[in-house]
Amino acid sequence: MLKLITVSVNEELCAQHNIETVPTLLFFKNGEKQTRYAEKTTDLDSMTSFVDKQLGRGPQEELEEVVPETKQIGVYTLTDDNFDAIKKTGFTFVKFFAPWCGHCKNMAQDWEKLEQHYTQHGVGELKIGEVDCTVTPSLCAQQSIPGYPTIVLFKDGDKHTEYAFYRDFDRMKLFLDETLGRSADVILEPDNLGVYTLNQNNWKRMHKAMGVNTVIVKFYDPLCKQSIEFKQTYEDLVVEFLMEESEDLAFTEVDCTAADSIDLCKQEDVQEYPAIHLYQYGDLEDIHSGFRTLDYLRNFVWETMDPERMEDPELFEDPMFADAMDVFAKAVDAAEKDLDDQDYEEGDDEDEEEEEEEDGEEEEDDEEEDGEVEEETKDEEVQTQVDGTTDIPIKIMPVKNDEEVKEELEKMVADITKKVEEESERAKTTNEDPAKQEQSQQKDEL
């Protein structure tokens, strides 16, 4: 048995064997010193040749091949002894981990599922292995493992790709299938309206799976207010093009908060929600940047499908003006309600006044009956005063007439119209080139 022993600090031992310079290599057999390594170079081949000569081995003899240790068919437990031999040919998908690592524990079930899948439906050139960095720290240091878990795909002994996606079964399987060029049957079914749900796992095969070349994708956040408000508009667009126009395109959606879509939304550089992208033959063709109304979205689709069917945006209803009109309508409703409340209060006051007048008449009648009346003409005059000329105090509430209400409403409309025009002008200014914007800003400052 051959043993390699390194002596670093032992002055007595070095003196005993007359060690004058370092490094010095000595060969011992059965406890007895045989010879001193006297070659000028200390490269691997020279030292190997020296050892083979001392052992009586021929230069062409090879060490016995290391048999890789396996947990199950196709899944390898990798160590310093078998790592190079196993990854030498084909593809090797390796997980570097530590048993105490929380992320490693979280992905353990998906990793085991991946192992089982390729054991049953494996590919000849693919091997799956794992390295416990607490058992073989030198191997992990040699591979510059920055943290746990780290997953690396090797090809023919060299590092091919470091896996940087979501660590679940579907995403890892997709990565391996795509890298190895395996074809996978992707079945997509739309909802009742005809909208497909996409994620990282079916993204690259969406055109083939849906049988179309043009795909509209809505990226959204289900909790986002704008996404919620846009839902009905997008459904109206789907109905118009799939049922009324019967165009050869597909409508899809991606929930950017779902675990299997987070990386996809980053990959497609989604900046806001909702975002509408148009893809042709798998490549991004256009991104919608206008108002999210049915008119503008219709033009967005026609611009790619059939530009002759686009309409003049000047004919579209200005969404900002429509919002202002909604505010105005609510203000008018509130004003009318106030008028109704005032009319109701006036009616109550008139009823009270009538009751007070009747009470006054009854009191006067009682006084006439109790008093002594001397002349009939005098009685008639008193009766006349009661019936026709008696002044009764009436409480009158201040009420705005129709002209005043009309003036207030006209002023309200004028204010809202002015704000709408300012917003429209500001929106047009943002679409101008930077030079015009700077000139306009300087003009405003002057």
Side-chain angles (χ1 to χ4, degrees):
M1 177 183 293
L2 177 65
K3 298 180 181 178
L4 298 178
I5 300 175
T6 301
V7 178
S8 58
V9 180
N10 193 320
E11 295 181 357
E12 181 179 352
L13 182 61
C14 291
Q16 179 183 345
H17 292 282
N18 300 319
I19 304 300
E20 298 178 352
T21 61
V22 290
T24 297
L25 304 179
L26 301 178
F27 185 85
F28 291 81
K29 183 177 181 180
N30 297 327
E32 300 290 335
K33 182 171 69 174
Q34 299 294 312
T35 185
R36 179 190 299 262
Y37 179 77
E39 299 292 335
K40 295 182 179 181
T41 60
T42 54
D43 60 276
L44 178 62
D45 291 337
S46 299
M47 290 187 293
T48 301
S49 177
F50 168 78
V51 172
D52 287 339
K53 183 178 179 180
Q54 301 304 315
L55 294 176
R57 298 176 55 186
Q60 301 300 322
E61 285 189 54
E62 295 183 358
L63 295 175
E64 183 179 356
E65 183 179 358
V66 177
V67 178
E69 177 187 358
T70 64
K71 293 194 306 183
Q72 50 182 307
I73 299 175
V75 180
Y76 299 89
T77 298
L78 303 177
T79 65
D80 292 306
D81 297 330
N82 62 10
F83 183 76
D84 291 332
I86 291 177
K87 70 181 180 66
K88 185 176 182 179
T89 58
F91 287 96
T92 308
F93 200 47
V94 182
K95 176 184 71 172
F96 297 86
F97 75 102
W100 47 261
C101 163
H103 295 296
C104 302
K105 294 177 182 178
N106 292 337
M107 70 165 293
Q109 187 173 357
D110 289 282
W111 184 257
E112 183 179 353
K113 185 177 179 181
L114 187 74
E115 295 174 347
Q116 294 173 352
H117 173 80
Y118 284 103
T119 298
Q120 299 172 4
H121 312 91
V123 182
E125 70 272 22
L126 175 66
K127 298 181 286 291
I128 297 179
E130 57 186 26
V131 177
D132 184 345
C133 291
T134 64
V135 176
T136 55
S138 58
L139 177 58
C140 296
Q142 177 187 342
Q143 296 299 318
S144 302
I145 302 304
Y148 310 126
T150 295
I151 305 174
V152 180
L153 179 67
F154 295 89
K155 181 181 180 181
D156 296 333
D158 297 324
K159 182 178 179 179
H160 181 274
T161 308
E162 182 171 329
Y163 181 81
F165 303 103
Y166 197 70
R167 295 186 290 263
D168 70 345
F169 167 75
D170 291 328
R171 188 64 188 90
M172 291 188 290
K173 177 179 177 298
L174 175 65
F175 168 79
L176 291 174
D177 287 344
E178 290 178 346
T179 304
L180 273 60
R182 301 185 69 196
S183 60
D185 296 329
V186 177
I187 301 176
L188 288 177
E189 294 292 340
D191 60 16
N192 295 334
L193 197 62
V195 178
Y196 295 86
T197 298
L198 298 180
N199 53 46
Q200 186 74 57
N201 301 323
N202 56 27
W203 177 256
K204 288 193 175 182
R205 300 185 179 91
M206 62 180 175
H207 297 277
K208 181 179 179 181
M210 291 180 286
V212 296
N213 296 325
T214 303
V215 178
I216 309 295
V217 182
K218 177 185 74 170
F219 297 92
Y220 73 102
D221 177 348
L223 300 180
C224 165
K225 178 182 178 182
Q226 288 78 7
S227 295
I228 296 173
E229 294 174 347
F230 181 69
K231 185 175 185 296
Q232 184 59 52
T233 302
Y234 190 67
E235 291 179 354
D236 293 341
L237 184 70
V238 172
V239 171
E240 181 172 321
F241 275 90
L242 295 186
M243 299 183 182
E244 298 176 11
E245 299 292 347
S246 300
E247 290 295 321
D248 185 24
L249 77 163
F251 287 87
T252 66
E253 60 184 17
V254 176
D255 179 357
C256 290
T257 64
D260 56 3
S261 299
I262 295 176
D263 290 335
L264 173 60
C265 294
K266 292 180 180 178
Q267 168 190 315
E268 296 305 308
D269 195 25
V270 177
Q271 300 291 332
E272 61 180 358
Y273 304 119
I276 306 298
H277 293 193
L278 187 149
Y279 296 82
Q280 278 201 314
Y281 304 99
D283 297 323
L284 178 62
E285 181 72 17
D286 199 3
I287 298 177
H288 179 66
S289 58
F291 291 113
R292 298 189 192 100
T293 65
L294 187 58
D295 290 329
Y296 284 91
L297 287 167
R298 187 187 298 113
N299 259 15
F300 171 72
V301 177
W302 283 132
E303 186 175 4
T304 299
M305 301 294 294
D306 187 358
E308 294 183 358
R309 297 197 60 176
M310 293 179 64
E311 298 179 2
D312 185 1
E314 294 293 335
L315 302 177
F316 297 161
E317 180 182 6
D318 189 335
M320 299 180 66
F321 179 78
D323 292 342
M325 289 300 97
D326 289 340
V327 174
F328 172 70
K330 293 177 180 179
V332 171
D333 290 341
E336 291 180 348
K337 185 176 183 301
D338 290 341
L339 290 175
D340 292 340
D341 292 341
Q342 289 182 5
D343 291 340
Y344 180 78
E345 292 176 359
E346 291 173 10
D348 289 343
D349 292 339
E350 290 177 357
D351 292 340
E352 292 178 359
E353 292 167 4
E354 291 179 358
E355 292 178 0
E356 290 177 1
E357 185 176 354
E358 291 177 358
D359 293 340
E361 292 178 353
E362 291 178 358
E363 290 177 0
E364 290 180 0
D365 291 339
D366 292 339
E367 291 176 357
E368 290 176 1
E369 292 176 0
D370 296 338
E372 294 180 359
V373 181
E374 297 178 354
E375 297 177 358
E376 185 177 345
T377 55
K378 200 171 186 179
D379 294 337
E380 290 177 357
E381 291 177 0
V382 173
Q383 186 65 34
T384 301
Q385 289 179 353
V386 174
D387 293 338
T389 61
T390 303
D391 293 331
I392 300 176
I394 298 176
K395 183 181 179 182
I396 301 177
M397 298 292 292
V399 181
K400 297 179 182 178
N401 57 38
D402 293 342
E403 289 298 327
E404 291 176 332
V405 173
K406 182 178 179 181
E407 289 178 3
E408 288 189 3
L409 292 178
E410 288 177 350
K411 184 177 181 303
M412 189 181 302
V413 171
D415 292 340
I416 294 175
T417 303
K418 182 179 178 181
K419 291 182 180 179
V420 171
E421 291 175 351
E422 291 175 353
E423 292 295 334
S424 298
E425 187 65 28
R426 188 178 296 108
K428 292 179 181 179
T429 303
T430 57
N431 294 325
E432 294 177 355
D433 56 33
K436 291 184 178 180
Q437 291 184 30
E438 184 175 355
Q439 291 176 4
S440 177
Q441 184 177 0
Q442 293 176 353
K443 183 178 179 182
D444 291 341
E445 292 176 354
L446 291 175

